[in-house]
Amino acid sequence: MNKTVLITGSTSGIGLGCARAFAKNGDRLILTGRDEKKLSAIKAELEKTGTAVHTLTFDVRDRLAAEKEVASLPADWKEIDVLVNNAGLALGLEPEYQGNMDEWETMIDTNIKGLLTMTRLIVPGMMKRNRGHVINIGSVAGDAAYSGGNVYCATKAAVKALTDGLRIDVAKSAVRVTNIKPGLVETNFSNTRFHGDEERAKNVYKGITPLTGDDIADVAVYAANAPAHVQIAEVLVLATHQASGSVVARS
């Protein structure tokens, strides 16, 4: 059965990969992001393939905007089957005692509070219908801290705890909850972390073939389409020569 899938942070990277993968799967999409022009371009791209697409423009850090946009969904789009909480970012690699507090707030507000907001807005409907799936995009960084990762690692550890907690809370229902934890994925993630420093961003992936957003999207689609009695609770996805968040064998 085709599903209605809401993907946050869908204009690039893993989010865009998920949009294309779920579209290929025959699902219809609610795509959210901060950039209306990018959302419109992706909508046009996917509609050419026959995919039904609805877009919502807001920043997940803005709870009131999120509430307003989700409430604005037409009646035939309100029953969301899959929520992909993808919106997230890392900023900086400074030691914790030298960190930028504004950047800390941005990461916490996006990676934790944004995820919580979307969960709170969407999951009550899933519980009422006794069906649905929440897929949170966590990170290997949530398993153990690495040098300079401090606050970002903490936010992804929170994603793991919140995902596990939600899974416990909905266990009485048929709603499923998944945490996908990628390792090195070559997207604009490092460009954002290093404030557009292309050379520094490229060095993150030097000497290794990293994952792509499409690789993670494949896992999300697989989890969402597992048999109803199967819950893919957690998946750690690493590049072949990456052993952990801090161990990478580069050529």
Side-chain angles (χ1 to χ4, degrees), residues 2-37:
N2 292 347
K3 302 178 179 69
T4 298
V5 182
L6 190 156
I7 304 166
T8 66
S10 59
T11 57
S12 65
I14 294 172
L16 179 55
C18 284
R20 289 170 174 160
F22 278 104
K24 188 175 180 180
N25 191 58
D27 299 313
R28 63 181 196 158
L29 307 176
I30 301 170
L31 304 181
T32 87
R34 296 175 296 172
D35 191 321
E36 188 171 4
K37 287 185 178 180

Side-chain angles (χ1 to χ4, degrees), residues 184 202-209 241 246-251:
L184 284 172
K202 287 179 182 178
N203 284 336
V204 173
Y205 312 106
K206 192 174 182 179
I208 189 172
T209 302
H241 295 291
S246 58
V247 178
V248 180
R250 303 180 189 273
S251 59

Side-chain angles (χ1 to χ4, degrees), residues 102-129:
D102 289 334
E103 293 182 349
W104 292 353
E105 288 193 9
T106 298
M107 287 187 280
I108 291 167
D109 288 350
T110 305
N111 300 355
I112 301 176
K113 292 166 69 176
L115 178 146
L116 277 170
T117 293
M118 296 307 298
T119 300
R120 181 65 180 83
L121 292 175
I122 304 303
V123 173
M126 293 180 175
M127 293 296 287
K128 184 177 180 179
R129 296 185 294 275

